[in-house]
Amino acid sequence: MLRAKGIALLVLAGVAAAGWALLVPPARLSPAELAAHYATPLPKPDTPLAVYHLGHSLVGRDMPAMLAQLMGEGHRHASQLGWGASLDQHWRGDVPGFAEENAHPAYRPAHEAIGGGAYDAVVLTEMVELRDAIQHHDSARALADWARLARQARGDVRLYLYETWHRLDDPSGWLARLAQDRAALWEAELLRPAMARQGVGTIHVIPAGQVLAALVTRIEAGEVPGLTRREDLFARDAQGAPDMIHLNDLGAYVVALTHYAVLSGRTPLGLPHALQRADGSPATPPTPAAARVMQEVVWQVVSRYAATGIAG
């Protein structure tokens, strides 16, 4: 009888503890603790990098190919993509559009690639809409899982969260979302809780969304030769209507420049602007004058945001 009562008490204690855990929010770094992770800039790589990209169509095939051309001889890259896939879907192996998006020579299975330690840098990309990813796909936990896997395989790996963007027709306003979401979502809901977990360490940021916002501001102020509106960076469908989320070659070039600056720690000023897509066809290039402004904007943004790991 006493033994049965003891077991019952233990069960009740366990249930109470589980219920209490649901009421207590998960641990997260404070803003000051997050800033401390970025107090010391990363040293510039002195050898070519091998980079692994995990994500979806806002990574795509062309942007990593453009990045490889900017990074130069010896750069290697591979990826696993999906249709709007979240980090959690990649982790669980439940990736929509897996067969279609990975039918290319640069595909490498994510768990094998990241867990094998063959890559100097791993770039992790969360799905859009970011709020849905946080609410329904346990973003911080998934980000931490991928980071921990990479660190267990290789202690010196560089980990990056690729900050993307929202739809141009976002009801809250495209520029407004980019301005508010960096601290409110990317940092508070992804980086701070993920980096508070054991074995994760520092995750730096590739702030492509912030770069696009800064560039669009310049474009719409009439300061970028040949470009007049934000849609000039976005793809168009067969009827000529602008795609609300996917970039054209000019936009992909800007994002590739942003990756270059963060991964290399070097200014993109003076880099080539006539590049090829992943299939070897020539990408539509910006004019030399527009490319110069794009490169300037990229460096201004990444060098002023400590989370990139770049010295300001």
Side-chain angles (χ1 to χ4, degrees):
M1 184 69 173
L2 289 175
R3 185 170 180 271
K5 286 183 178 179
I7 293 173
L9 287 172
L10 287 173
V11 170
L12 287 173
V15 170
W20 176 250
L22 292 174
L23 296 175
V24 177
R28 67 183 61 210
L29 301 180
S30 69
E33 289 170 328
L34 180 69
H37 275 263
Y38 305 130
T40 303
L42 287 169
K44 295 180 179 64
D46 55 8
T47 57
L49 293 177
V51 179
Y52 190 80
H53 304 266
L54 182 66
H56 46 71
S57 60
L58 299 192
V59 177
R61 304 182 191 186
D62 292 336
M63 187 280 292
M66 291 182 178
L67 173 62
Q69 294 163 69
L70 297 173
M71 295 289 279
E73 187 176 356
H75 178 85
R76 294 189 297 112
H77 69 92
S79 66
Q80 179 174 297
L81 307 175
W83 290 339
S86 70
L87 290 173
D88 182 56
Q89 287 174 317
H90 281 292
W91 184 260
R92 292 185 289 105
D94 181 23
V95 180
F98 181 89
E100 295 85 349
E101 288 301 307
N102 295 299
H104 58 89
Y107 164 68
R108 298 291 181 277
H111 280 277
E112 175 186 317
I114 295 174
Y119 294 90
D120 307 299
V122 174
V123 181
L124 302 167
T125 315
E126 188 50 286
M127 64 173 274
V128 180
E129 162 67 52
L130 188 57
R131 290 171 180 153
D132 291 341
I134 293 165
Q135 184 176 358
H136 302 296
H137 293 257
D138 205 1
S139 287
R141 190 271 309 153
L143 179 61
D145 284 343
W146 284 114
R148 198 159 31 226
L149 178 66
R151 293 223 185 274
Q152 289 169 350
R154 180 169 175 170
D156 66 346
V157 68
R158 296 188 178 197
L159 297 175
Y160 296 91
L161 177 62
Y162 170 20
E163 180 228 1
T164 56
W165 52 93
H166 305 285
R167 290 179 56 87
L168 286 176
D169 56 359
D170 189 287
S172 298
W174 189 73
L175 286 175
R177 284 293 305 273
L178 288 169
Q180 71 190 28
D181 285 359
R182 190 186 83 176
L185 297 182
W186 294 101
E187 294 178 1
E189 300 298 333
L190 271 74
L191 290 168
R192 286 168 51 197
M195 288 167 55
R197 297 178 184 234
Q198 188 71 26
V200 171
T202 302
I203 302 172
H204 287 85
V205 178
I206 297 177
Q210 302 304 307
V211 166
L212 288 173
L215 180 61
V216 161
T217 301
R218 295 280 300 272
I219 289 172
E220 295 180 350
E223 298 174 359
V224 184
L227 304 179
T228 60
R229 55 184 187 154
R230 62 193 66 179
E231 288 84 358
D232 291 340
L233 300 175
F234 286 77
R236 291 185 176 272
D237 63 22
Q239 287 70 45
D243 189 306
M244 291 291 108
I245 189 73
H246 298 103
L247 299 173
N248 60 18
D249 289 345
L250 300 184
Y253 176 69
V254 173
V255 174
L257 288 173
T258 306
H259 280 69
Y260 170 90
V262 175
L263 291 167
S264 73
R266 294 173 171 83
T267 175
L269 288 173
L271 286 177
H273 62 281
L275 303 176
Q276 294 179 333
R277 304 184 185 101
D279 64 5
S281 62
T284 301
T287 66
R292 174 76 184 187
V293 179
M294 292 171 176
Q295 294 166 3
E296 289 173 353
V297 168
V298 166
W299 190 242
Q300 287 166 359
V301 172
V302 303
S303 64
R304 294 174 184 175
Y305 183 28
T308 61
I310 307 300

